[in-house]
Amino acid sequence: MRIDRSAQLKALHLHGMAAAWQEWQIEFNAQHKPVMPEVWLDRLIVAEQADRQARSLNYQLRVAKLPHHRDFIHFDWAETPLEQARIEKLATSGFMDQANNLILVGGTGTGKTHIAIALAIAAIHLGKRVRFYNAVDLVNQLEKEKQLGKAGSLAKRLVQIDAIVIDELGYLPFPQSGGALLFHLISQLYEKTSLIITTNLNFAEWVQVFGDEKMTTALLDRITHHCDILETGNDSYRFKHRKKNINQEKP
């Protein structure tokens, strides 16, 4: 009776080994050369390790809930006032090891979200756990959590990961009760989980979002403690590119 070792390996959830075993069988049948057991065993182990790393990476990319893929390969450094070397240093994710924060401040279309997502993806490739939220969606989730009598459960989950991206803070207002919930969440994450925040508001304008001056001051005190602040400017390079393309299309 012929034993289907590939099926056995798959049944044990050793998918990397199963694929490598099938490849090795094809090679062996073609070459008919004896191979020491240690040789193919090492090959199977290496294949399983690589498969598990790839599966883990894909899983972390899915649970991060990134709205789309962005990287620095396609980032136009000529259109930003930011220093490439400084961003590349942040992409090593060292700031997450100390639970430091990063705030990207600038106008619409200046690359804030692109940089935030690219940093998140770079971190995931380095084994970090990241979660992306639109600011309003995060507040809505905190409001719903409170209504269900489960306040604090999201914070308990987020404190276990390396970085939270809060995108578009200030683009849309939310109720003062939501601002208080966001303040409470950030307080619980303080010095435990890194925050990457993108916003179109300077710090003096944050009170417009949170509604309470004292709470906003306390919030900024926590966020900006151990924090890099990057200003991306106010000139939208997306708008400039569209304008340039329109001008080129004109007869």
Side-chain angles (χ1 to χ4, degrees):
M1 179 180 178
R2 184 174 179 275
I3 299 175
D4 189 344
R5 292 186 173 82
S6 178
Q8 289 179 326
L9 291 169
K10 289 179 181 178
L12 293 170
H13 302 289
L14 299 171
H15 300 283
M17 284 190 175
W21 175 262
Q22 291 175 324
E23 293 175 2
W24 182 78
Q25 288 290 96
I26 295 172
E27 292 179 14
F28 177 79
N29 292 333
Q31 297 176 6
H32 298 288
K33 293 180 180 180
V35 180
M36 294 293 291
E38 293 85 352
V39 174
W40 57 259
L41 181 59
D42 287 344
R43 181 170 172 178
L44 291 175
I45 292 172
V46 169
E48 183 61 30
Q49 289 173 331
D51 182 74
R52 293 195 178 198
Q53 289 173 355
R55 287 173 180 270
S56 176
L57 175 63
N58 289 333
Y59 172 77
Q60 292 300 332
L61 287 170
R62 287 199 306 273
V63 299
K65 302 295 184 181
L66 300 168
H68 35 248
H69 183 277
R70 291 290 183 268
D71 55 45
F72 292 118
I73 296 174
H74 300 97
F75 188 76
D76 192 347
W77 295 104
E79 296 289 353
T80 180
L82 301 175
E83 296 180 6
Q84 183 174 352
R86 187 179 182 186
I87 302 300
E88 289 175 346
K89 183 178 180 181
L90 289 169
T92 65
S93 302
F95 71 99
M96 297 181 189
D97 296 331
Q98 286 77 43
N100 291 350
N101 299 323
L102 173 64
I103 301 177
L104 294 151
V105 186
T108 301
T110 57
K112 301 184 302 298
T113 300
H114 185 134
I115 293 172
I117 293 175
L119 289 174
I121 290 176
I124 292 170
H125 278 270
L126 292 171
K128 304 292 187 183
R129 292 171 296 172
V130 182
R131 181 66 164 86
F132 181 99
Y133 288 98
N134 175 275
V136 174
D137 292 340
L138 177 57
V139 168
N140 289 338
Q141 187 167 336
L142 291 170
E143 291 274 16
K144 183 177 180 180
E145 179 184 74
K146 182 181 179 181
Q147 292 171 4
L148 295 173
K150 298 180 179 179
S153 60
L154 179 61
K156 290 179 181 178
R157 295 197 303 272
L158 296 183
V159 80
Q160 302 297 322
I161 68 178
D162 298 289
I164 310 297
V165 179
I166 303 178
D167 192 39
E168 296 187 337
L169 181 68
Y171 281 79
L172 292 173
F174 42 75
Q176 187 173 349
S177 60
L181 291 171
L182 186 56
F183 168 79
H184 186 61
L185 172 65
I186 291 174
S187 297
Q188 290 179 293
L189 300 179
Y190 177 56
E191 294 190 328
K192 299 182 182 71
T193 299
S194 292
L195 299 175
I196 301 175
I197 299 175
T198 73
T199 180
N200 63 334
L201 302 177
N202 60 52
F203 292 144
E205 296 173 313
W206 281 37
V207 69
Q208 299 174 14
V209 176
F210 292 94
D212 183 277
E213 187 173 350
K214 290 183 178 179
M215 182 175 67
T216 303
T217 300
L219 178 74
L220 285 170
D221 182 65
R222 285 169 171 79
I223 292 176
T224 57
H225 186 217
H226 307 307
C227 178
D228 280 296
I229 300 170
L230 304 180
E231 297 184 12
T232 60
N234 292 306
D235 295 330
S236 170
Y237 62 78
R238 287 202 300 261
F239 177 76
K240 285 190 291 185
H241 285 184
R242 285 197 297 269
K243 185 176 180 181
K244 181 179 178 180
N245 291 334
I246 290 172
N247 290 336
Q248 288 176 345
E249 292 173 0
K250 290 181 178 178

